[in-house]
Each structure stands twice: as C-alpha cells, then as structure tokens.
C-alpha cells in the first residue's frame, strides 16, 4: 500500500479531534493505531507523524514487525488485539505491552507462564462478549465470574481493564448499549473484585469509535480510518 505521510497525518489529527470532542475524559484516551493492514514502511511514516502505539492481531506478524523496529531502537508499544491462540503466546511474551483479548483461563495461564519465563508481568484486558453473539469470542459474564478467582491469582499477568467488539449492525443504538454495558460491567467488577484497578476500556473501531468514546472508551483500536 502506498499511503502518503500527509494522508496519515490528516487522519490522525481527525481522530485526535474526535477524541477531544466525544470523550468525557480525553486525557485518559489512547489511540491504538491498528497496523495489521500495512507493512513496516507505512509504520515508519506513522512513527514520523507521531503515532507510537500499534495494534496487531497475528502473533508471528507482530513479532516480525517488533524485531524490525527493535533493531532500530525505536520506542514503540505493541498491543495484541485479536484472538490469541495459546500456542502463539510464546511469540509475543517477551515484548508485548498489552494483550486485549484474554477470553479463557487456559490462555491467561499460558500468558502468565510465558511472562514469568521472561521475568515480566504482562498487562492484559479481559475480552467480554456483551452482545452474547455465538460467533464472537469473549467471556460471557457468568463464565467470567467462575474463572475470576483463578484469574486474579496469576501473579505474572496484571488485569487492567475490559475489551469488547461491537456486534455487526448498523444500529447505533445497539452498539451504544453494548459499549455502555461494558463500562457498567467494568464499574461493577471494580467495586466487587478489583478495588478500582480496572482503569481501561478497549472499545471502538473505525465505524464506531466516536460512540465508544462517548461511552467512556480509554483505548480505541482504529485501523481503516487511518489509511483512507
Ligand atoms: C482490525 C481490528 C480493528 C480495527 O478495525 P478497523 O475497522 O480497521 O478500524 C480493531 N480491533 C480488532 C480486534 C481488529 O481485529
């Protein structure tokens, strides 16, 4: 893909303005620039126009991109945003900044183990399936409650918030409900279990990030909008 720096810069500015306009707490919001569509040359340009936090959804791909930039000593945060298979955790455990998609106890245990091997504590989010769609990954709330005692015992993962994907619909009322429900779930867990430690809400993509901001997103995962 050949995308000019001007295009990237214009789109990043638009997103930053939307954060100020739509978030009740813009200072707490971070843009995760989703780079799964683009190669390292486009990421180079993104770095030049000020982006520094990137989201990827394939373990081997993010490892390769990480290594490319680590060799240049660039200061970048790599977030893992997609469905993560247990047997792929080993590729990312040494460097990943935040894993957005912990949706099973077995996955959490593997991340914990690999983090320990690397002498790290890895920040993670719990992925919640708010809409209850069969096709979607993510914990249902009842199942999360079952796993929570075990999850909170893992010493090398640090649970700092929740993540969700909006359902496939044009109906913005439904999308807003889902984001609101994620926030209320976060608030409830903060009160009952986490003592306020769940600071992050990862929600909102190109089509719905403004709604997510209005409902309290602190991490928005935006891809296509940056490149168009
Ligand atoms: C691709 C992807 C995004 C970004 O989606 P866009 O519609 O390109 O903004 C966000 N989150 C996840 C989990 C993704 O896989």
């Amino acid at each position: 893909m050949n995308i000019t720096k001007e295009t990237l810069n214009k789109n990043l500015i638009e997103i930053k303005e939307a954060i100020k306009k739509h978030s009740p707490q813009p200072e707490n919001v971070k843009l995760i620039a989703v780079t799964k569509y683009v190669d390292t040359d486009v990421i180079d340009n993104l770095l030049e126009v000020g982006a520094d936090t990137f989201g990827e959804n394939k373990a081997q791909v993010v490892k390769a991109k990480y290594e490319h930039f680590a060799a240049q000593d660039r200061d970048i945060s790599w977030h893992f945003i997609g469905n993560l298979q247990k047997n792929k955790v080993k590729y990312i455990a040494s460097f990943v900044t935040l894993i957005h998609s912990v949706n099973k106890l077995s996955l959490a245990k593997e991340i914990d183990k690999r983090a320990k091997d690397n002498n790290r504590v890895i920040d993670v989010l719990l992925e919640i399936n708010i809409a209850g769609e069969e096709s979607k990954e993510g914990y249902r709330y009842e199942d999360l409650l079952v796993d929570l005692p075990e999850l909170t015992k893992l010493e090398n993962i640090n649970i700092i918030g929740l993540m969700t994907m909006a359902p496939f619909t044009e109906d913005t009322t439904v999308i807003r409900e889902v984001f609101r429900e994620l926030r209320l779930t976060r608030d409830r867990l903060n009160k009952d279990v986490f003592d306020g430690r769940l600071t992050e809400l990862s929600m909102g993509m190109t089509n719905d990030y403004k709604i997510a901001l209005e409902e309290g997103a602190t991490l928005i995962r935006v891809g296509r909008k940056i490149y168009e």
Side-chain angles (χ1 to χ4, degrees):
M1 234 193 292
N2 185 14
I3 304 152
T4 64
K5 236 180 274 179
E6 288 69 32
T7 301
L8 297 172
N9 193 42
K10 174 175 88 48
N11 289 333
L12 287 181
I13 287 171
E14 268 182 46
I15 296 167
K16 279 182 199 147
E17 282 172 357
I19 292 173
K20 281 195 205 125
K21 179 159 177 233
H22 292 277
S23 170
Q25 287 180 302
E27 66 284 3
N28 293 341
V29 177
K30 183 136 200 85
L31 167 66
I32 316 303
V34 175
T35 45
K36 67 186 182 191
Y37 309 106
V38 298
D39 220 327
T40 50
D41 51 344
V42 177
I43 298 176
D44 250 320
N45 286 338
L46 276 171
L47 284 163
E48 281 194 41
V49 297
D52 61 4
T53 306
F54 302 128
E56 290 277 342
N57 68 346
K58 295 216 164 63
Q60 280 111 319
V61 173
V62 65
K63 179 178 175 10
K65 286 174 174 172
Y66 159 76
E67 283 170 354
H68 174 90
F69 289 102
Q72 304 174 3
D73 227 4
R74 306 286 272 277
D75 194 14
I76 300 176
S77 288
W78 294 100
H79 287 210
F80 195 89
I81 60 171
N83 194 41
L84 179 57
Q85 285 170 309
K86 239 175 67 178
N87 62 351
K88 303 281 173 72
V89 173
K90 59 176 179 280
Y91 295 114
I92 63 172
S94 71
F95 68 88
V96 71
T97 300
L98 179 64
I99 297 174
H100 289 232
S101 44
V102 171
N103 51 22
K104 282 185 204 75
L105 182 57
S106 57
L107 174 62
K109 284 183 170 168
E110 176 68 12
I111 297 168
D112 181 66
K113 171 170 168 275
R114 297 284 173 180
K116 195 169 202 164
D117 291 346
N118 284 282
N119 290 313
R120 302 185 66 207
V121 175
I122 298 180
D123 285 343
V124 304
L125 307 176
L126 300 172
E127 181 180 2
I128 313 288
N129 183 348
I130 293 285
E133 289 178 295
E134 290 291 338
S135 61
K136 282 257 158 68
E137 300 287 341
Y139 267 115
R140 285 161 188 269
Y141 187 67
E142 313 85 76
D143 298 335
L144 175 64
L145 291 184
V146 174
D147 281 359
L148 263 182
E150 288 282 312
L151 286 168
T152 51
K153 262 187 241 156
L154 300 171
E155 289 184 351
N156 289 72
I157 66 171
N158 186 25
I159 302 169
I160 62 168
L162 305 182
M163 178 272 219
T164 201
M165 309 266 287
F168 292 110
T169 171
E170 305 271 286
D171 187 343
T172 56
T173 314
V174 172
I175 294 173
R176 185 179 296 280
E177 277 300 312
V178 166
F179 291 154
R180 181 170 300 165
E181 191 58 40
L182 189 73
R183 169 163 49 82
L184 295 174
T185 304
R186 190 270 313 262
D187 293 347
R188 186 157 63 226
L189 289 171
N190 258 341
K191 188 161 150 283
D192 296 347
V193 183
F194 286 91
D195 201 18
R197 292 188 306 275
L198 301 179
T199 54
E200 306 305 319
L201 282 176
S202 170
M203 55 192 198
M205 310 175 16
T206 292
N207 287 341
D208 50 30
Y209 72 98
K210 292 176 186 170
I211 302 172
L213 288 166
E214 286 165 5
E215 294 304 327
T218 64
L219 301 166
I220 53 172
R221 312 179 307 269
V222 181
R224 285 171 298 132
K225 204 255 169 315
I226 296 175
Y227 311 107
E228 284 165 7

